[in-house]
């Protein structure tokens, strides 16, 4: 396992950070969060054309640049720090990951190059109205037509990340006792997509209604659960990387303010009530950074530890980011709870990241199971 | 169990209950859920405000006024009836159980009145107090500024004496109820050379003056309950300076001893109703059998009951003539930290659904999303939790104060 | 409900405190905690003869002084503050409460006067080897001999408070499907009593083995569960009062030390790390005081709220006392974790009080059930 | 997953593993569970100490000594082999996986040696260092005093120069390993008029001197791992003052840069074994299916893994030549607070059984009772959690220091 941070990785981080500071700084994030789509297609294209971010962890044979998940985690960290609102997690992690995890070479060849270039925006639709993250809860039905006529999907998906802006939706559906993965074109007849107003306006979700929607089976009619399980684990770690980025940024904000805000003739950061809290937060953020680095390396090496570290990281990242984001508001005092100040954007993202893919106690319970308790 | 406060109070309770029954207009109780918790940021605030425009409410206000039940804790000569804290508490309890509102005069009643009563001249009392009781004058507060937070005495708004007038220039922040106010009570610095806490004056100004402007400050919850205010050379007669020039800090710190604690026994009521709503939400979402959720709900219920128990104990103490000690700071710390945590529990119970807001323009939220977001302000406004802990430690436990920074110390 | 503290109650508190400071100060507690019995019979007798503490909440018709549980809670608070090691909770609360809760007038008349005077030391034996506090877990069997020959008990009780020093043991035993309460003389044939070494040496526990031990039925063969339920609720509140006393004393110690201990040229209590912690502890102790007063009044008035407030108080008191006792050690620094310093005695009592009668999460779960969730 | 630290380190790992396999005496691994966590207070300490008396251990010690694997991080000229932190970590990992002990020289190795190497004269190095490596001199620490706690520089023990000797008088506290030591390194005040941190000297004394006496300090866990020491005019040659008179503070703050971080990747090992013991305890007590217990166990497992991840990251950083930053303080804060909480979880899992200790004289405890009790000391000794937070905030986050108290300030 390689855990160190190479010079190349540092350069990647710096260039992503520069790109986001330049093309998607917080004022732009604020503008876009009030839109339905939530991102600027031009910036999305640039991210693909200039930096190759969407394809960073996609093998070269599928049009990507073939770096590992360790590099993608760095990208995700920076996106999380910047509260970038584009469909990166949906397309470059969830959908690309599902295609890679599927055994379907034809589907990989068909879809991955578009995802890698950023031309295709893809997402995975698995959660339904009950909001459960368990594969068992999937009810949306897939029915096979007469031989060769393909499949039709009926039912509803909800909480679909960027579901209304994706042009390719990978749907987890029930084929009798099993689950399978299907590709659905965004313009397919019978598909209705409804954007949902989100608590965290920088992260867009949609409801998708399927009424006899034509769909292409990916892999076999039985292997959806295994693919989904892998995808959710990787997504948990990817989101952990985003959470790390957000937590680090929120901590930086708090510490910076504590140095310059004077009350009672002293910088507030000289009061132990603030100072010791910041120390605790640093401990947490540093520990999270170690965990995310380890987890990313585990994904990159396809280690058997992935399921365990995925739940560990998701639970810990959720606790840490929310803790930091909440304290950041408190340390800022009055301005910290205004709309104008950025603290609430991180606070909302922190909670939304926790609720998405299952919260901290959900993942602790999974972790207990996965380590055999 | 109902608190036994002795036969006199029992009689008072019976009388006030009978009076409410007789005088409360029909339909008033149904106009709004008057005693639900309205969290800062004003979820449900609009509906209640609308109800106060209703004829039944106006009639009720008139009845209360006639019976001296507005500002009832004020001395008789100033329009009240000198009600003590125990009776105020009983009055509040009975209003709550009848489902009708207490008509209060906001900060005019709780802050301006006591300051004028204690520090004003007879002429000032005559000029300002009746208009508060009648509702003619509605005050908003001009204390905080962008540069002051916990350190209120660091305020920079200037007050310059010009003949028999004072001219006030500066910026104020966190004013609630600005849109409803026609007056503001302002702290301004009238002696820039004096030590920080000296040189401050307490002035009543006309908030409709053209030299006053204000604009709402939107909060993270989407609501805009507070304003920032610009005082651009507002003039007020020196008559409007309460307690004398440069004595404003003392005036601002005034609250009437006998007023404190009157809400002790009713504070928990809103939280209790809210708790049962949350229990219902948990049931509806099918998580009320989840052991972790049950622990959280039991914890929340306990906290609410602890507020009730503490309120009753405070009240019993008042009835025995004990002055309240650090209860106000403990209570503020308790409910604000409780509510913050409750918001987290509630959003956790909403689970994945908590990701989605209701449809609508602006940033509408569900009740629990609003609690989750707006409760973050509770541990900051009216004295942060950190300031409350300082007060509790220094006043109740007599722990030593922080050393003052030296001129060449680390604070540079 | 009467919640105020009367002058009479203040006087009671002062006299109990004086008595304990005089006859059972901490050096004496330390001496006695190394003994098997854990208390000085002479002091116990004085508590009865001079102050009437054992009979304070026992009606006058049974030899007590007929005050209410509100007064007994004050006594318990002072005993808890002083870490008094005698069998007060066992005899004057558990056993007296069980007899009062039973419908058995003959038993009351037979046993209560002795308990009230302190001459009889009684206890209730209900927990068994599995350490469960649920009535359902009782296995010890009671069998009725031929008519008029009474009952015999067989089985084992454990964690019996002062079980080896009591001369009267009230035993909860199974009579087929039901539970019943029995009186057993400490000298009865077939009864073996084994003192157990305790984590909290100021609170003594014993294991009792019953081999065909003759026993006298109290009440009916069916009403043991109801009696036990009432007794456990009152005991939870009584222990809450003790915990309040201990927590207040531990907080006083911490605050006192924070004022006089100088580090870096300042009293440590001027550092917010210490100061704010003390403020939080005061909030908790004051809240607990309100709860205990309310709960004691509820018992005194036999309110229907007793089951709810019992679990509420036990859970909260357990959290608060442990929190205060732990912080007291931390605030004292190095000397705080020595054997010579008293901080650990409170720390151990705090944990033992939490574990006895069911811990905080156990009682929160009960509370949820009792309020209908 | 094993950390990839490059081919050189991989070769080193292979070599050291082969060396251990060849040289570790038969039966050594079975003598004791060498790498279990021994909590302060010494639960299990007796058994391990007994094992160090065994012939196999002595033989192992001799092998290590011959191979310069005792104090291996010391420079070659002083008896070590100048091993860097990464290699030390790999050495520790390999010892652990072979189940054999690292033979270390305690504070002589970690504190006295580095101080003498950096601040001593050649004569001092020659006089003191070889005796540490060989095990002839075993040092205990004489830093803390009853009046100093977090504020070490407030120490009062006097050192008076008398001819070519220094005479030391005072009381020391929290000395661990006093009974095994024949030497003590002492901080004493040699210039009472100097500023607090100046005027302190670092002196090596003979701990078997008749002017030295000590007695154990019993802890709340019942164990007595620490001593208090009385130095009643102990004489040492001035030669034994390291770094010169009045320069002791700087000397005391010394640790060799290349030594730091060597235990980063093995710190979690003891906690990991302990965690699985607790999981087993939970299963045995039938509570491993309890959702609350599962949350606690998952939390504890996560914390242990976080220690592992952080250690590996530190190690990877060292391998890339990065100097460790505030990791030492973060790590101390992390494990001590973790272990305190783990003790609470464990005693909760023991439940009612936790009320009862094992039979025996004194105050014997179960393993979990001991963790519960002795872990309270962990957040106090070697720098309290409060001090660690100060260090982290000031050094890593560059937050401002507390203002110094003024002469007439609140600190009086």
């Amino acid at each position: 396992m390689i855990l160190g941070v190479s010079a190349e990785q540092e350069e990647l981080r710096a260039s992503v950070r520069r790109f986001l500071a330049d093309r998607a700084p917080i004022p732009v994030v604020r503008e876009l969060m009030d839109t339905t789509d939530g991102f600027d297609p031009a910036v999305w294209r640039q991210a693909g054309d200039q930096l190759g971010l969407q394809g960073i962890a996609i093998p070269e044979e599928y049009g990507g640049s073939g770096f590992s998940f360790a590099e993608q985690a760095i990208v995700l960290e920076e996106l999380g720090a910047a509260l970038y609102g584009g469909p990166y997690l949906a397309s470059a992690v969830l959908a690309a990951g599902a295609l890679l995890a599927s055994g379907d070479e034809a589907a990989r060849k068909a879809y991955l190059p578009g995802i890698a270039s950023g031309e295709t925006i893809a997402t995975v639709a698995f959660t339904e109205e009950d909001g459960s993250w368990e594969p068992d809860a999937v009810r949306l039905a897939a029915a096979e037509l007469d031989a060769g006529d393909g499949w039709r999907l009926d039912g509803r998906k909800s909480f679909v990340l960027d579901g209304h802006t994706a042009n390719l939706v990978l749907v987890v559906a029930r084929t009798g006792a099993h689950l399978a993965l299907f590709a659905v074109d965004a313009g397919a007849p019978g598909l209705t997509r409804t954007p949902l107003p989100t608590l965290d306006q920088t992260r867009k979700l949609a409801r998708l209604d399927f009424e006899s929607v034509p769909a292409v089976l990916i892999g076999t009619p039985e292997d959806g659960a295994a693919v989904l399980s892998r995808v959710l684990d990787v997504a948990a770690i990817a989101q952990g990387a985003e959470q790390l980025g957000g937590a680090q940024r929120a901590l930086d904000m708090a510490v910076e303010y504590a140095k310059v805000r004077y009350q009672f003739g002293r910088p507030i950061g000289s009061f132990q009530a603030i100072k010791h809290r910041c120390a605790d937060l640093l401990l947490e953020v540093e520990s999270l950074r170690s965990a995310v680095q380890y987890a990313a390396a585990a994904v990159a090496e396809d280690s058997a530890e992935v399921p365990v570290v995925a739940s560990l990281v998701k639970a810990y990242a959720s606790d840490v980011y929310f803790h930091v984001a909440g304290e950041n508001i408190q340390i800022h005092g009055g301005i910290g709870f205004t709309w104008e100040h950025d603290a609430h954007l991180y606070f909302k993202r922190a909670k939304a990241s926790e609720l998405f893919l299952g919260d901290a106690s959900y993942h602790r319970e999974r972790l207990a199971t996965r380590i055999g308790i | 169990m109902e608190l036994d406060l002795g036969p006199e109070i029992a009689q008072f309770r019976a009388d006030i209950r009978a009076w409410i029954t007789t005088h409360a207009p029909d339909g008033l109780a149904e106009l709004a859920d008057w005693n639900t918790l309205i969290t800062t940021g004003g979820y449900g605030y609009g509906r209640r405000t609308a109800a106060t425009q209703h004829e039944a409410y106006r009639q009720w206000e008139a009845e209360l006024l006639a019976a001296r039940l507005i500002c009832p804790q004020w001395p008789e000569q100033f329009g009240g009836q000198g009600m003590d804290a125990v009776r105020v508490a009983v009055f509040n309890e009975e209003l709550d159980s009848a489902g009708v509102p207490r008509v209060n005069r906001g900060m005019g009643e709780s802050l301006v009145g006591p300051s004028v009563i204690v520090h004003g001249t007879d002429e000032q009392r005559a000029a300002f107090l009746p208009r508060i009781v009648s509702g003619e004058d509605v005050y908003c507060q001009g204390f905080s500024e962008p540069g002051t937070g916990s350190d209120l005495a660091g305020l920079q708004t200037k007050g310059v004496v010009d003949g028999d007038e004072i001219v006030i220039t500066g910026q104020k922040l966190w004013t609630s109820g600005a849109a409803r106010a026609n007056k503001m009570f302002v702290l301004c610095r009238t002696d820039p050379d004096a030590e920080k806490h000296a040189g401050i004056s307490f002035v009543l100004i006309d908030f409709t003056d053209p030299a006053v402007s204000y604009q709402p400050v939107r909060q993270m919850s989407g609501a805009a309950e507070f304003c920032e205010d610009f005082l651009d050379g507002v003039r007020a007669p020196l008559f409007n300076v309460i307690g004398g020039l440069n004595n404003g800090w003392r005036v601002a710190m005034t609250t009437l001893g006998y007023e404190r604690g009157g809400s002790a026994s009713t504070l928990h009521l809103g939280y209790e109703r809210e708790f049962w709503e949350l229990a219902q939400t948990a049931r509806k979402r099918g998580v009320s059998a989840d052991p972790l959720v049950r622990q959280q709900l039991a914890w929340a219920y306990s906290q609410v009951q602890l507020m009730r128990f503490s309120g009753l104990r405070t009240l019993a103490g008042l009835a025995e003539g004990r002055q309240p000690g650090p209860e106000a700071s403990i209570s503020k710390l308790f409910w604000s930290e409780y509510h913050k945590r409750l918001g987290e529990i509630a959003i956790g119970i909403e689970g994945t659904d908590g990701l989605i807001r209701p449809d609508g323009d602006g940033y509408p939220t569900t009740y629990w999303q609003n609690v989750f977001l707006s409760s973050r302000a509770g541990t900051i406004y009216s004295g942060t939790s950190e300031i409350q802990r300082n007060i509790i430690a220094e006043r109740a436990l007599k722990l030593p104060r922080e050393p003052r920074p030296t001129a060449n110390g680390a604070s540079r």
Side-chain angles (χ1 to χ4, degrees), chain B residues 14-323:
Chain B
D15 292 348
I16 203 86
R17 186 178 295 181
W19 187 90
I20 292 170
T21 310
T22 321
H23 293 80
D26 288 345
L28 177 62
E30 291 73 33
L31 275 184
D33 195 353
W34 295 104
N35 301 290
T36 335
L37 205 66
I38 301 236
T39 54
T40 312
Y43 196 87
Y45 180 82
R47 218 176 110 247
R48 195 179 297 174
T49 305
T52 62
Q53 306 304 317
H54 193 278
E55 178 51 32
Y57 185 86
R58 292 185 190 285
Q59 189 187 332
W60 175 234
E61 185 176 8
E63 295 277 9
L64 290 166
L65 205 51
R68 291 177 167 266
L69 284 167
I70 290 180
C71 304
Q73 72 280 18
W74 288 14
E76 272 188 61
Q77 66 266 39
F78 307 128
Q81 50 173 283
M83 212 183 254
D84 62 24
V86 176
R87 286 176 172 80
V88 169
V90 169
F91 179 42
N92 287 338
E93 288 171 17
E94 292 301 321
L95 290 170
D96 177 80
S97 67
V100 295
R102 165 121 181 232
V103 175
N104 69 58
R105 299 308 190 195
M107 291 188 167
E109 175 172 349
S110 62
L111 293 171
V112 180
S115 296
V116 172
I117 290 170
V118 173
H119 298 283
T121 62
D122 284 343
E123 291 74 16
Q124 287 176 322
R125 291 166 173 168
F128 299 121
L129 297 176
R131 296 170 58 91
I132 293 174
V133 176
S134 69
E136 262 171 299
D137 283 350
V138 177
Y139 281 89
C140 62
Q141 189 180 42
F143 280 14
S144 294
E145 300 182 4
T148 70
S150 297
D151 187 13
L152 179 58
L155 59 92
Q156 297 300 326
T157 291
K158 273 189 310 188
V160 177
V161 176
D162 180 21
D164 59 356
E165 288 187 325
I166 180 164
V167 187
I168 300 172
T169 305
Q171 188 182 342
K172 293 292 179 181
L173 194 61
W174 310 128
T175 310
S176 56
R180 296 183 307 281
N182 65 327
K183 302 275 180 183
M184 178 183 251
F185 56 112
V186 172
L187 286 183
C188 57
R189 189 163 299 284
T190 38
D191 182 352
D193 301 324
E195 192 272 331
K196 201 164 140 185
H197 292 80
I200 290 174
S201 299
F202 184 104
V203 191
L204 308 183
I205 66 167
D206 182 0
F207 200 61
T208 64
D209 192 293
V212 171
S213 60
Y214 61 88
Q215 59 182 42
V217 177
R218 196 176 180 204
Q219 292 159 246
M220 59 188 280
S221 64
E225 172 70 349
F226 301 114
C227 283
E228 55 182 339
D229 321 285
F230 304 92
L231 311 180
D232 184 16
V234 184
R235 286 176 175 269
L238 281 178
F239 179 77
N240 284 21
V241 177
I242 307 298
L245 277 170
N246 302 326
N247 193 32
W249 187 257
R250 250 185 77 214
V251 177
M253 295 296 109
T254 307
T255 52
L256 289 181
Y258 56 74
E259 193 200 332
R260 293 170 66 187
S263 64
S265 62
T266 45
L267 171 68
H268 71 285
L269 288 168
Y271 295 109
E272 189 161 321
R273 290 198 181 86
E274 187 184 70
F275 168 79
W276 290 114
E277 285 293 325
L278 183 58
Q280 192 54 29
T281 301
R283 279 190 206 102
K284 276 193 206 142
R285 292 197 48 86
V287 296
S288 62
D290 177 331
L292 304 180
V293 170
R294 294 171 68 78
Q295 288 286 316
Q296 291 168 343
L297 289 175
W299 175 85
Y301 179 81
S302 298
Q303 296 294 106
V304 172
Q305 294 306 305
L306 289 167
M307 286 190 228
R308 177 165 74 98
F309 303 152
S310 294
L312 290 171
R313 180 167 150 239
T314 299
L315 196 59
L318 288 167
E320 287 169 4
R322 268 193 286 274
Q323 281 302 305

Side-chain angles (χ1 to χ4, degrees), chain A residues 1-6 10 251 254-255 258-259 266-272 274-280 282-283 285-295 297-299 301 303 305 308-309 312-313 315-316 319 360-365 367-373:
Chain A
M1 183 184 52
I2 296 190
L3 258 196
V5 182
S6 68
E10 287 297 359
L251 174 59
V255 169
K259 289 175 185 170
R266 296 164 53 177
I268 61 171
S270 71
F271 288 103
Q272 287 185 339
I274 305 294
K275 184 175 194 166
H276 284 191
R277 229 177 285 187
C278 289
D280 283 337
L282 180 69
L283 176 148
V285 172
E286 285 292 323
S287 301
L288 176 58
R289 181 172 298 284
S290 301
V292 167
Q293 275 188 20
Y294 187 90
V299 172
E301 299 188 14
S303 155
E305 286 189 67
V308 164
V309 296
L312 190 159
V313 163
Y316 192 64
D319 284 346
S361 39
Y362 172 80
H363 278 283
R364 274 193 294 271
E365 173 58 39
L367 176 58
T369 302
R370 286 172 167 189
I371 61 174
I373 289 171

